[in-house]
Amino acid sequence: MDNIKRRTLLGIGTLGVAALASPRQLYAAALSAGETEIALWPGDQPPGGNGPQGPERTNAKGSVTNVSRPRMVVYRPQRPNGSAMLVIAGGGYTHIERGSESIPAARWLQALGVTVFELVYRLPGEGWINTAPFQDGQRAMRLIRAAASKYELDAKRIGILGFSAGGHLAGTTAAEPDLPRYAAEDMVDQFSARPDFAGLIYPVLTFMPSYDNTHSRREIIGKHPDLAESEAFSVERHVGARMPVTFLAQAADDPISPIQNSLLMFNALKAAQIPAEMHVFQEGGHGWGLGPEGSLVHAWPALFETWARHNGWFGS
């Protein structure tokens, strides 16, 4: 246990130095250090709409909008352990919080020996159909599986990690990996989109009343959906035997995604007899990424690593 904590803190400590750079500098440094990008769709032609006009935009905090080229950024560790994770930032499906969520998480996992694929996905309000993010999630998982030998991955240790709306995207991908969201493009689409394990961090999961006052719900199904639409995109309503082992972490005082999101999901997992672990922190709010140093929620990365190693996802 002490060794696990040291490894986790070392990874987070390395990020503390990197955090002094701007998100743009971090991204440029990632590519120059050998990370590569993988386009999700052949010819950069995604299905479902024409997308936004103009170039992709990244603000000073590393929040991304105007996504016309969905892709993954690959973070390869110096000593890979054979595990891989698809990491997905949130942002209410209106932007993608790369700077505060997916880039730091990718660096942390990379330091643990995990090969990380950071997802930059399409946003429905930018000219894409409302299921575009879910198409990207499925396609990304299939691409990772298709490239398992190239990246020396254990095909039975490929997970998914999502924050906030990214937790909704990760949870949806995990709960409904076989739902046909797009016509097959190539041989990649013969691979499974099911992750072997899932981490959902302060996730938005339910679109059902009375916990449905979120940007995520409005962006995906509008301001006045009927109950059938709400249920169709509520992750906890689709948990079944194919759902992978799941880790949940959320603060009890979350003002954006009510704690009932995790509680409902945990109960659905237990009802389906899916192994699950949940951590509810007394306080912490929303959008904490890896968690500010000294806060209660700062404990979650070490808890996640312990859980992952206990289940064999990161090795013993």
Side-chain angles (χ1 to χ4, degrees), residues 207-209 221 225-234 237-238:
F207 285 0
M208 299 297 289
I221 55 177
D226 60 33
L227 285 178
E229 291 175 303
S230 298
E231 186 169 7
F233 290 95
S234 291
R237 298 299 180 100
H238 301 282

Side-chain angles (χ1 to χ4, degrees), residues 64-98:
V64 173
T65 55
N66 230 47
V67 178
S68 59
R69 192 172 65 85
R71 62 197 183 278
M72 294 186 291
V73 179
V74 187
Y75 298 76
R76 303 184 76 169
Q78 290 185 343
R79 296 180 179 83
N81 61 20
S83 300
M85 292 208 76
L86 179 65
V87 176
I88 312 174
Y93 290 116
T94 63
H95 56 280
I96 305 172
E97 294 286 359
R98 294 189 64 198

Side-chain angles (χ1 to χ4, degrees), residues 258-281:
I259 189 62
Q260 282 80 5
N261 282 269
S262 288
L263 298 175
L264 289 168
M265 186 66 180
F266 184 79
N267 287 335
L269 289 161
K270 298 309 291 181
Q273 298 184 345
I274 305 300
E277 180 163 320
M278 179 173 64
H279 295 275
V280 178
F281 298 100

